[in-house]
Amino acid sequence: MKRVFLVFGLIGALVIVSCKENNATAKINTENVAVAAERDEAAKQVPVMEFAKAEHDFGTIDQGTPQETVFTFTNTGNAPLIITDATSSCGCTVPNPPKDPIAPGDTGELVVKFNGSGQNQVTKTITVKANTEKGSELLRIKAFVTPKGTPAVGPTAN
């Protein structure tokens, strides 16, 4: 029993001695504080990608007829917008994003080509990855595709 008290006493003394800090504020490097403040302020500056439209309807098209649309967007944030990747839900849709950064307040264009494959109502999604707070944006294209040689029956083009 004496050993238990002795062990706890030693542990308690060690904790008290090791936690004692003399003038901890004197050890703070003011240069590091300034660098951290700059880093935190820079982290608040992020680009924001705002699209004029998030969906495009090609209307009724003939099967195999290539289509193309442009999604226009504006960087409404306060840092340069960099698109890192743009992918579609299938190989029949090919997005072509701008390669250069988009400055705050500037606009850019994302060209999307669709080869007209499929039948009836077709909807495809395009995922645009960028250095925004959300990290990605979703766009959609849709069309009513009529088989070759069939009269148009679906919705009309807008």
Side-chain angles (χ1 to χ4, degrees):
M1 189 60 130
K2 288 182 182 180
R3 288 184 187 173
V4 172
F5 284 120
L6 182 62
V7 168
F8 281 124
L10 286 174
I11 290 174
L14 234 165
V15 168
I16 290 172
V17 171
S18 65
C19 290
K20 187 175 181 182
E21 183 68 47
N22 290 332
N23 202 5
T25 57
K27 294 183 180 182
I28 295 175
N29 185 342
T30 56
E31 185 176 312
N32 290 344
V33 172
V35 169
E38 284 180 36
R39 179 195 64 226
D40 292 346
E41 189 60 36
K44 292 178 188 176
Q45 296 186 8
V46 292
V48 177
M49 192 175 207
E50 285 192 19
F51 283 90
K53 63 179 179 177
E55 184 175 294
H56 179 78
D57 188 352
F58 289 112
T60 301
I61 63 170
D62 292 328
Q63 187 176 37
T65 305
Q67 303 292 317
E68 183 176 296
T69 188
V70 176
F71 288 95
T72 304
F73 60 90
T74 303
N75 178 3
T76 59
N78 52 10
L81 172 68
I82 300 169
I83 297 176
T84 56
D85 195 19
T87 56
S88 67
S89 56
C90 79
C92 63
T93 306
V94 180
N96 186 10
K99 307 292 184 229
D100 296 328
I102 308 298
D106 285 353
T107 60
E109 294 182 340
L110 175 78
V111 178
V112 177
K113 295 180 181 180
F114 172 57
N115 70 4
S117 66
Q119 287 187 11
N120 298 323
Q121 188 63 42
V122 177
T123 302
K124 305 296 177 185
T125 58
I126 298 98
T127 304
V128 181
K129 294 182 182 175
N131 62 332
T132 60
E133 189 173 358
K134 287 178 19 179
S136 67
E137 299 287 335
L138 276 179
L139 304 172
R140 285 185 178 73
I141 60 167
K142 62 183 184 177
F144 189 86
V145 182
T146 58
K148 289 183 179 179
T150 305
V153 192
T156 59
N158 292 340

